[in-house]
Amino acid sequence: MQITSDDHLQIGFDNGAMVPVEDLGIEEGFLSGVAATSLSLPEIGNQPSKLQLQLLWVDGNRLIGTARTESTGDLPRFGLPVYISLSRQK
């Protein structure tokens, strides 16, 4: 994840491409947003999907929370939640 010079949030995936995180908001202390990506799992192939983030600042250097990937293609609502912890790089 990175914050761009114009204060937008982006997230990178395995292929190295950075995609924008949209619908950013803070609710009850959680940073939330959605990024467009694709699921590459044996069960579903390479389906278009969205990544939903729910992150909470633990301290000034770390975010914890969940990332939920949900298919938006031929198998809608197929989801995969993951617990994540992100640390600031210097």
Side-chain angles (χ1 to χ4, degrees), residues 2-56:
Q2 77 180 93
I3 299 173
T4 64
S5 60
D6 57 352
D7 291 332
H8 289 94
L9 187 63
Q10 296 185 79
I11 190 166
F13 296 98
D14 288 340
N15 62 7
M18 298 295 284
V19 296
V21 178
E22 300 174 344
D23 300 328
L24 283 174
I26 296 177
E27 186 175 322
E28 296 182 19
F30 282 88
L31 171 66
S32 62
V34 178
T37 183
S38 62
L39 288 172
S40 183
L41 300 172
E43 298 86 359
I44 60 170
N46 195 24
Q47 293 285 310
S49 61
K50 62 182 175 182
L51 178 71
Q52 298 173 313
L53 299 170
Q54 290 284 336
L55 304 170
L56 180 65

Side-chain angles (χ1 to χ4, degrees), residues 54-80:
Q54 290 284 336
L55 304 170
L56 180 65
W57 283 105
V58 175
D59 56 38
N61 295 314
R62 196 163 53 116
L63 290 164
I64 61 169
T66 59
R68 176 173 161 62
T69 305
E70 184 177 314
S71 173
T72 58
D74 295 337
L75 298 171
R77 296 186 176 70
F78 177 86
L80 180 65

